[in-house]
Amino acid sequence: MIQFNKPYLTGKEAHYMYQAVYNGHISGNGQFTKKCQHFLEEKFGFRKCLLTTSCTDALEMAAILIDIKEGDEVIMPSFTFVSTANAFVLRGAKIVFADSQKEYPNMDCDTLEHLITDRTKAIVPVHYAGVACDMNQIMKLAQKYNLFVIEDAAQAIDSYYNGTPLGKLGHMAAFSFHETKNIQAGEGGMLAINDPKFIKRAEIIWEKGTNRAEFFRGEVNKYGWVDIGSSFLPSDVIAAFLYAQLENMDNIQQQRRHIWTQYYNNLTHLQAAGHIKLPEIPEYATNNAHMFFLICNTPEERTNLIKYLKNNQINAVFHYLPLHLSDFYANKHDGRTLNNASIFSEQLLRLPLYYELTDSQIIDICNLIHKFYEEN
Ligand SMILES: *Cc1c(COP(=O)(O)O)cnc(C)c1O
């Protein structure tokens, strides 16, 4: 069976974890945490990085930092993971879901201005599959209406918008190091902060609402409870694992892009014949090869293709159910139909993509897809 995902190990993870254990600082904000944060700040130019136990946690920190309160409205795509919305719902926000573009699952920025009211507090763009949303358009709206922009960059590490790293354009950004992401630590995440006015409070929220980080830097001579917060920081053992991955980032990204390109080249005939649609990367965006997906012409065709591949030992999977139609949110949604989100939900198919997938496995998978369309 070719599985959908297989977490890649560089070989250094256990070694660094051993070091973290014997450093004697095993809790959060230790040596490896600092190394990871420094690495990410240097490589991408984020003002401040804080490792978190997940991207979900980073999003929750962001919602606290921009003071989301009961009745505030937050605009985001419906076609995303639950955590994007949950983080803001936890603080009492009403979510206003935007539709996807017709050509790509990212939210359709042309629809956003109509969704802004005087209660709107933030826009949360999700860079689906690591491909940038149109950030110029989003930042212009944010400026015009005085809104915060929190990028859900869970899938977007080392990807760019007109040459700027994703996660660097909004006020802050949340990244994931879950084992399904390009760079992984099993469970892990990061809040990247670009607007310096949030940095001090972010450290406090990160450390359970205390000024412990300042205390350890010797900036204050005792620490205590100064704000709300939670335990958002991961153990240094997790950071040690992550550091091994970060050191290998260029190699990992190169291999993933190689796989992505193989898929694309091998399936382009099927697109020309009108059987499927392949992802279109906009001119302003790069592709970090987080995911390879195709769009089937009908929901039935996708179901049958998944079944066909499964019968041939290949695990291909669909993706999100639109959040505006979810059990939890359907009765809170304002009733607008979001057709493109529904189409991606029903017709998008993700193919296996992980570091160790071989060229011959990719060719086998593509041949099977060709065969499926010859037979149907
Ligand atoms: C993976 C993912 C998350 C959640 O990441 P965790 O680290 O598992 O909390 C949030 N948003 C998007 C778009 C994701 O892909």
Side-chain angles (χ1 to χ4, degrees):
M1 189 84 192
I2 299 181
Q3 63 240 68
F4 173 68
N5 179 56
K6 185 176 176 205
Y8 172 64
L9 295 174
T10 68
K12 284 288 256 316
E13 287 83 355
H15 174 70
Y16 286 152
M17 288 168 88
Y18 184 93
Q19 271 186 29
V21 170
Y22 287 95
N23 274 344
H25 182 126
I26 306 167
S27 60
N29 204 7
Q31 210 178 86
F32 279 102
T33 300
K34 291 189 172 82
K35 276 169 105 99
C36 289
Q37 291 176 175
H38 183 73
F39 179 97
L40 290 155
E41 285 159 10
E42 287 294 304
K43 183 159 174 84
F44 299 118
F46 306 131
R47 285 298 286 269
K48 177 74 190 166
C49 290
L50 293 173
L51 292 192
T52 55
T53 53
S54 62
C55 176
T56 301
D57 265 359
L59 289 162
E60 286 176 25
M61 281 184 70
I64 295 173
L65 275 165
I66 61 168
D67 272 323
I68 293 288
K69 292 193 174 62
E70 198 75 36
D72 288 343
E73 294 179 2
V74 178
I75 298 171
M76 65 179 65
S78 175
F79 193 71
T80 183
F81 190 59
V82 288
S83 294
T84 319
N86 234 337
F88 298 90
V89 168
L90 276 169
R91 316 243 39 100
K94 178 182 162 200
I95 308 298
V96 177
F97 287 113
D99 202 1
S100 297
Q101 300 167 310
K102 200 165 172 3
E103 322 75 57
Y104 197 87
N106 283 344
M107 64 184 179
D108 183 349
C109 294
D110 292 336
T111 68
L112 299 183
E113 192 157 13
H114 297 291
L115 303 178
I116 295 171
T117 72
D118 49 13
R119 314 194 88 176
T120 307
K121 187 118 184 215
I123 303 177
V124 186
V126 179
H127 306 299
Y128 187 77
V131 171
C133 295
D134 191 343
M135 289 304 291
N136 261 352
Q137 221 177 328
I138 292 169
M139 295 315 291
K140 259 192 213 142
L141 281 176
Q143 233 156 27
K144 182 168 168 191
Y145 294 97
N146 198 23
L147 308 174
F148 294 111
V149 175
I150 314 290
E151 298 176 67
D152 182 338
Q155 306 173 8
I157 190 114
D158 194 30
S159 203
Y160 300 80
Y161 173 80
N162 283 334
T164 304
L166 296 186
K168 207 184 160 186
L169 292 140
H171 296 85
M172 31 193 138
F175 287 86
S176 176
F177 303 119
H178 186 265
E179 74 170 20
T180 52
K181 304 302 201 284
N182 291 26
I183 301 294
Q184 60 100 13
E187 300 276 358
M190 168 180 74
L191 182 68
I193 301 162
N194 301 312
D195 186 333
K197 74 167 178 276
F198 291 111
I199 293 175
K200 189 169 173 209
R201 187 164 180 238
E203 279 189 334
I204 289 168
I205 291 163
W206 190 55
E207 280 270 28
K208 299 113 185 154
T210 72
N211 54 349
R212 195 161 180 262
E214 279 179 298
F215 173 73
F216 278 113
R217 280 196 299 266
E219 293 164 16
V220 291
N221 50 24
K222 59 181 170 36
Y223 78 89
W225 189 13
V226 295
D227 201 336
I228 60 168
S230 190
S231 187
F232 286 118
L233 67 180
S235 149
D236 213 49
V237 179
I238 300 285
F241 187 111
L242 180 63
Y243 193 65
Q245 296 262 318
L246 292 176
E247 277 186 332
N248 258 273
M249 185 183 297
D250 291 344
N251 169 40
I252 292 170
Q253 301 293 72
Q254 195 186 337
Q255 175 62 6
R256 294 187 71 100
R257 271 195 291 270
H258 169 76
I259 294 169
W260 197 99
T261 306
Q262 298 277 100
Y263 269 133
Y264 194 91
N265 293 342
N266 278 298
L267 293 172
T268 182
H269 291 303
L270 285 176
Q271 170 160 259
H275 289 304
I276 56 172
K277 269 178 41 196
L278 297 177
E280 271 174 58
I281 315 287
E283 231 178 291
Y284 53 67
T286 58
N287 173 22
N288 71 350
H290 170 61
M291 184 195 299
F292 191 89
F293 67 84
L294 53 87
I295 314 292
C296 297
N297 284 339
T298 66
E300 300 72 46
E301 211 160 88
R302 185 187 68 175
T303 306
N304 293 337
L305 181 53
I306 290 178
K307 223 181 278 169
Y308 182 82
L309 291 171
K310 189 148 279 167
N311 289 339
N312 286 283
Q313 309 295 309
I314 289 149
N315 193 15
V317 297
F318 54 86
H319 213 181
Y320 306 124
L321 306 172
L323 295 181
H324 73 290
L325 301 175
S326 62
D327 282 352
F328 179 68
Y329 219 81
N331 62 357
K332 302 171 188 73
H333 176 63
D334 54 30
R336 282 170 300 118
T337 53
L338 305 174
N339 287 328
N340 297 331
S342 295
I343 289 171
F344 288 118
S345 176
E346 291 171 355
Q347 293 170 218
L348 181 148
L349 178 69
R350 295 180 291 158
L351 297 178
L353 201 174
Y354 52 86
Y355 189 98
E356 289 166 53
L357 196 67
T358 65
D359 286 4
S360 77
Q361 284 176 315
I362 297 165
I363 289 167
D364 289 347
I365 294 168
C366 293
N367 285 345
L368 278 167
I369 298 173
H370 275 100
K371 210 162 142 230
F372 172 84
Y373 281 103
E374 276 160 25
E375 291 169 7
N376 286 273

